[in-house]
Amino acid sequence: MNINHVDLAGYLTKSLDADEHRQAEEHLATCAECRAEAESLQEWTMALEAVPEAMLLDGPPDDADLLLQRTLRQIRQESSGANRRRSTLVGIAAAVVVAAAVAGGAAVGRFTSPSDAPPVAQPPTAAVSSGPTAAPGTRTATAVDATTGARITVALTPAPGWIRVKAAVAGIPQGERCLLQVVDKSGKVTLAGSWLVSEAGADDGTTLDGSALVPLDQVGSVRVVTEGGKQYTSVSL
Amino acid sequence: MPGFRLQRRREVADEALVRSLFAEHGRAMLAYATQLTRDRAAAEDVVQEALVRAWRHPESLVNGKGSVRGWLLTVIRNIVTDQIRARNARAPEVRESPVDVPSDEDHAEQVVNAMVVVDALSQLSTEHREVLEQLYLQGCTVTEAAKALGIPPGTVKSRSFYALRALREIKSLSPAGTERSAS
């Protein structure tokens, strides 16, 4: 079709030499069909060029710690101010986030979402190199349990055939004996860590470093349950 | 005091959400806000407001069809649009130069597409997305992109061509396809 008239691919990637470029322009000037095709695709090349590269990058902004502090301060003020008509926390199912798979240099990372993932959050992230935050391929997710108010944030870093599990768990009362479990897609449960909630842990949350013999792409969810079997919170991945 | 405890626990949990959104999407949010406002300080205010809205309505983060990042960027766009509208509404009283305001609006409309583009890119196959990122976002030449991706230059050319066509299939960039509220 159009593509046979002129090397549009070369034209759009600006990879024609001067002669070829001139010929292409001459052809486009006379062939309405090719011109329409070129123009509609150029709309996209220009739109792509206008996107700041940072919009595809994961991680926090540079030099913006004050911004985070300011935001947290505002939240604290609002939250203590009215003690919230919002008396019960609205649950989040799972705010799934990101992952930047990166292989050094100019390589381009990608998020691979499992094809059967819930239609919830499909991160549009294609990150370009050297994100300062997470190790390559790390996936993070956060969830709040609407009933218990407990929150979990997890970061799963893949190793061949298994994962490292970092978790921050808040909102569980002192004295609870907790298990951090990874549930794979078939429903099989693997223990990634266990702890007793201390007074400080009840106030400020507990951070955990664990691991589980589950490949990252097989992880269905990560949850916190007590020894007695009460589930405090669970996050889908 | 148990009430206090519970409150405190919620705060800790809430902060964890905001911290995690900031850690994952902060850079993208600030880049977009800066592009829209052309002002880093104003952009930071917009990002702060967007995070606070996410905290107020955590359910909306995941109830929408799009991604978390898509939701956050949409909120940013709405905040900036509202600000421009508010400024326009004030304009007669403060006698703002009539030239300035529309140019802000035009600029905002131009870059509104960035969010659409990011969302559309996320729907492409990895091969397609990578090649477009190299060529157009990073501004690589075909040769550089070929080297970075480890594929022949000819493949870069043809693949990028098909990737552009795939993008066009996914989303419309024309103004008719973008939402404009007429309030």
Side-chain angles (χ1 to χ4, degrees), chain B:
Chain B
M1 213 166 86
F4 171 79
R5 263 292 152 71
L6 192 63
Q7 177 66 26
R8 173 85 184 107
R9 223 180 286 144
R10 266 187 208 133
E11 280 173 26
V12 170
D14 280 3
E15 286 184 16
L17 170 72
V18 171
R19 282 178 191 278
S20 109
L21 291 175
F22 187 81
E24 296 295 344
H25 304 289
R27 185 187 295 245
M29 292 172 78
L30 190 59
Y32 188 45
T34 306
Q35 200 196 18
L36 287 167
T37 59
R38 287 178 291 185
D39 176 343
R40 162 90 184 210
E44 290 200 1
D45 289 345
V46 171
V47 170
Q48 178 175 350
E49 175 61 21
L51 288 168
V52 170
R53 287 191 192 181
W55 165 75
R56 285 191 200 125
H57 305 287
E59 72 284 358
S60 53
L61 272 177
V62 290
N63 286 354
K65 285 214 179 77
S67 60
V68 170
R69 182 167 297 186
W71 187 87
L72 291 167
L73 296 180
T74 306
V75 169
I76 284 176
R77 184 186 70 184
N78 292 345
I79 293 169
V80 174
T81 310
D82 288 350
Q83 285 175 349
I84 290 170
R85 221 176 263 151
R87 217 179 307 157
N88 282 353
R90 262 203 329 267
E93 301 161 34
V94 296
R95 298 185 185 193
E96 248 176 294
S97 142
V99 189
D100 287 344
V101 177
S103 86
D104 268 5
E105 210 165 38
D106 289 349
H107 171 75
E109 284 196 6
Q110 277 167 25
V111 293
V112 153
N113 277 339
M115 190 199 68
V116 176
V117 173
V118 168
D119 229 36
L121 270 176
S122 75
Q123 296 177 47
L124 290 181
S125 70
T126 305
E127 284 82 9
H128 279 173
R129 193 170 62 226
E130 281 177 346
V131 76
L132 293 182
E133 283 172 6
Q134 291 284 332
L135 286 175
Y136 298 109
L137 276 98
Q138 300 199 56
C140 293
T141 63
V142 168
T143 318
E144 287 163 351
K147 205 169 161 198
L149 297 172
I151 53 178
T155 310
V156 169
K157 276 164 56 172
S158 58
R159 195 177 280 176
S160 69
F161 181 68
Y162 288 110
L164 287 171
R165 288 165 66 129
L167 272 184
R168 188 175 59 184
E169 290 298 306
I170 291 169
K171 283 241 168 75
S172 163
L173 275 182
S174 63
T178 55
E179 286 177 19
R180 290 190 201 195
S181 62
S183 61

Side-chain angles (χ1 to χ4, degrees), chain A residues 64-169:
Chain A
D65 209 46
L66 285 176
L67 168 58
L68 177 63
Q69 296 313 326
R70 234 166 49 208
T71 308
L72 293 174
R73 211 176 310 135
Q74 186 184 347
I75 286 166
R76 278 173 213 144
Q77 277 166 4
E78 276 193 35
S79 130
S80 60
N83 203 354
R84 321 249 81 209
R85 245 136 285 179
R86 159 192 189 273
S87 57
T88 47
L89 264 177
V90 206
I92 319 174
V96 177
V97 210
V98 176
V102 173
V108 176
R110 72 207 56 100
F111 180 88
T112 44
S113 70
S115 54
D116 58 347
V120 168
Q122 285 192 341
T125 17
V128 188
S129 115
S130 66
T133 43
T138 298
R139 291 177 63 182
T140 64
T142 296
V144 188
D145 189 285
T147 316
T148 65
R151 282 196 196 227
I152 182 169
T153 301
V154 290
L156 306 180
T157 306
W162 59 287
I163 43 170
R164 294 177 203 280
V165 181
K166 268 184 188 295
V169 179

